[in-house]
Amino acid sequence: MILLMLCGSLLLYDFQKLYPTITVRLLEYDKHFDQYGSDFTFYDYNHPEDLPLELKHNYQVVIADPPYLSKECLEKVAQKIYFLAHLEESFLLLLTGEVQTDRAADLLGLRPCNFRPQHSSKLGNEFRLFTNYDPLERLGGWVQEK
């Protein structure tokens, strides 16, 4: 299984320690992650077309944590997710503000999970985790529509 973290807030090093057999690629704007060598690719969401072609449709799992809650940002991140994810079947996880619920559904076919991420600092926006697959008991399952 191959995992990709796009605009990741998760630490690559910690993930690799927990799951040493999983190949991970971190796409991130912060160049201090270049210490991870080939596991790191510089990525600026403002330029979604600027990625190596060998990454195209190469990832079974894509975890995205866009840097902003704007419509423009999510649209550009969605473009890149479609570029990176396997065509046949991929598992998409998106961590973003609850205000993006409709956009996440429209752009990527994602639904919110009952799991609610918590931040150590108080943020003005409620965050959610969205997936394109039913996580069942994991992550609290999908939020049931009323």
Side-chain angles (χ1 to χ4, degrees), residues 104-105 109-113 129-132 142-145:
L110 305 180
R111 292 180 52 186
C113 297
L129 179 66
F130 300 87
T131 63
N132 69 333
W142 273 336
V143 171
Q144 297 301 311
E145 295 181 19

Side-chain angles (χ1 to χ4, degrees), residues 5 17 20 26 30 38 46 55 63 85 94 105 109 117-118 144-145:
M5 295 190 297
K17 280 190 347 188
L26 175 66
D30 187 344
S38 63
N46 290 299
L55 302 182
I63 301 172
L94 175 70
Q118 301 294 314
Q144 297 301 311
E145 295 181 19

Side-chain angles (χ1 to χ4, degrees), residues 27-41:
L27 276 66
E28 177 60 66
Y29 185 79
D30 187 344
K31 289 190 178 184
H32 90 269
F33 287 104
D34 66 359
Q35 66 184 321
Y36 295 110
S38 63
D39 293 336
F40 166 77
T41 299

Side-chain angles (χ1 to χ4, degrees), residues 18-67:
L18 287 170
Y19 306 100
T21 61
I22 297 177
T23 302
V24 179
R25 173 76 61 106
L26 175 66
L27 276 66
E28 177 60 66
Y29 185 79
D30 187 344
K31 289 190 178 184
H32 90 269
F33 287 104
D34 66 359
Q35 66 184 321
Y36 295 110
S38 63
D39 293 336
F40 166 77
T41 299
F42 175 78
Y43 171 71
D44 182 349
Y45 92 92
N46 290 299
H47 304 285
E49 67 285 350
D50 290 346
L51 279 178
L53 281 177
E54 68 264 13
L55 302 182
K56 187 173 187 176
H57 305 308
N58 201 30
Y59 295 93
Q60 185 178 6
V61 178
V62 179
I63 301 172
D65 182 6

Side-chain angles (χ1 to χ4, degrees), residues 93-110:
L93 294 93
L94 175 70
L95 176 65
T96 191
E98 189 168 37
V99 298
Q100 297 280 43
T101 298
D102 291 340
R103 282 191 201 112
D106 293 344
L107 293 170
L108 295 160
L110 305 180

